[in-house]
Amino acid sequence: MNTGSLKAAVVQMVSGSDPAANIQTMRRLVRQAADQGAQWVLLPEYWPQMGQERDKLALAEPFGSGRFQAALGETAAECGVVLFGGSIPLASGQPEKVFNSLLVYDENGRCLSRYDKAHLFGFDNGREHYAEADTISAGSGVPRLEIGGHGIGQGICYDLRFPELFRAQAPFDVLMLPAAFTYTTGSAHWQLLLRARAVENQCYLLAAAQGGRHDNGRRTYGHSMIIDPWGDIIACLPEGEGVLCADLDFEKLQSVRRRLPALAHRRF
């Protein structure tokens, strides 16, 4: 593997119900990350729109065309970054359902990878109710992705609770996780789960979140983070929109794996 380093960034947004405004914000924040030297940039889940649950049905694009995909490809090329496009709604072929998809674009604006969210969030505490399965079709697998000699793990939000998804992709050097965790579940489990996934996979973990009060009334937890292979939090943005940048040191990653070769000790 490549043992050098690169600068990566996560973007935190507080997306509203207006896709055009969200596209403009996305472009501005990715440019901000690129101006800080970021080579890889990760966007949050649902960055194009955080409206009502069924709003995404009207916004779904066929894979390969549409304004969200065009905006991602153009922004990657204009800023000269590898852009991990958070998630956007793609047509699923099922009535009244979409895929919630992470698309990755290279520095030339070419789509490298597509991952459809596999695990669909369901939660009901009597005050809050979420049932993603009502409007989202579950994906069935994760594509292998390697960029610049580094394996990339992928997941979206609720996937974080299912470590077997990431074990199936191992080994990888960086795990990309766009999310829109609710404030309730995020305050309880977000940091705990992120650090656990980084530690058990001995990888860098980039988590880009929605972070604040949205115009649909929903509150998301934020706390976008970059975490190193020892589980230390390198950078964190509690709430509001913004950009976090950090150097990913792959010699440090290899040092962790040499000192504690847990991945080599796996039996199952």
Side-chain angles (χ1 to χ4, degrees):
M1 65 161 275
N2 186 332
T3 56
S5 65
L6 64 83
K7 182 164 284 189
V10 298
V11 168
Q12 184 160 290
M13 293 176 62
V14 188
S15 298
S17 56
D18 180 0
N22 296 326
I23 289 172
Q24 186 176 37
T25 299
M26 180 275 290
R27 289 181 180 272
R28 173 172 53 82
L29 293 173
V30 174
R31 170 49 65 189
Q32 182 178 326
D35 288 346
Q36 294 179 41
Q39 299 158 270
W40 294 0
V41 182
L42 174 65
L43 298 174
E45 184 182 28
Y46 295 135
W47 68 263
Q49 202 244 23
M50 285 283 289
Q52 301 305 315
E53 284 303 307
R54 297 187 64 81
D55 290 349
K56 64 176 73 73
L57 301 177
L59 297 173
E61 300 178 347
F63 180 48
S65 65
R67 60 175 166 167
F68 302 143
Q69 293 167 84
L72 289 170
E74 290 165 4
T75 303
E78 290 166 3
C79 296
V81 299
V82 177
L83 184 56
F84 297 82
S87 77
I88 66 170
L90 293 182
S92 71
Q94 289 186 274
E96 301 303 304
K97 290 192 177 184
V98 301
F99 285 121
N100 186 14
S101 303
L102 166 58
L103 305 180
V104 182
Y105 293 82
D106 69 11
E107 301 93 331
N108 298 310
R110 180 173 62 97
C111 186
L112 300 177
S113 175
R114 168 184 172 177
Y115 165 62
D116 300 327
K117 185 176 182 180
H119 298 95
L120 304 182
F121 182 51
F123 180 74
D124 191 340
N125 65 358
R127 299 181 307 278
E128 299 172 89
H129 172 78
Y130 301 96
E132 287 190 329
D134 289 348
T135 55
I136 297 175
S137 295
S140 58
V142 188
R144 290 284 179 182
L145 179 61
E146 182 175 304
I147 301 174
H150 301 291
I152 310 295
Q154 301 177 77
I156 300 174
C157 200
Y158 191 51
D159 285 333
L160 180 62
R161 295 182 181 273
F162 301 89
E164 63 272 18
L165 177 74
F166 306 107
R167 281 301 199 210
Q169 300 175 62
F172 49 79
D173 299 333
V174 184
L175 174 55
M176 297 291 188
L177 191 100
F181 255 57
T182 69
Y183 188 85
T184 302
T185 58
S187 58
H189 302 141
W190 173 247
Q191 183 184 133
L192 171 69
L193 290 167
L194 289 175
R195 294 185 70 195
R197 298 295 85 83
V199 168
E200 69 195 11
N201 291 294
Q202 297 184 315
C203 67
Y204 283 99
L205 192 152
L206 275 64
Q210 294 280 352
R213 182 75 67 176
H214 304 268
D215 60 15
N216 66 355
R218 179 174 173 180
R219 185 181 181 189
T220 47
Y221 184 61
H223 291 78
S224 294
M225 293 185 191
I226 301 176
I227 302 174
D228 77 10
W230 194 247
D232 292 329
I233 298 169
I234 303 172
C236 176
L237 178 60
E239 285 193 300
E241 71 172 42
V243 172
L244 296 173
C245 288
D247 291 318
L248 309 187
D249 181 349
F250 295 105
E251 178 52 44
K252 178 177 181 178
L253 181 149
Q254 287 304 304
S255 176
V256 168
R257 292 178 177 179
R258 284 193 299 268
R259 287 182 283 122
L260 179 61
L263 294 177
H265 292 161
R266 290 173 58 196
R267 295 287 301 278
F268 305 102

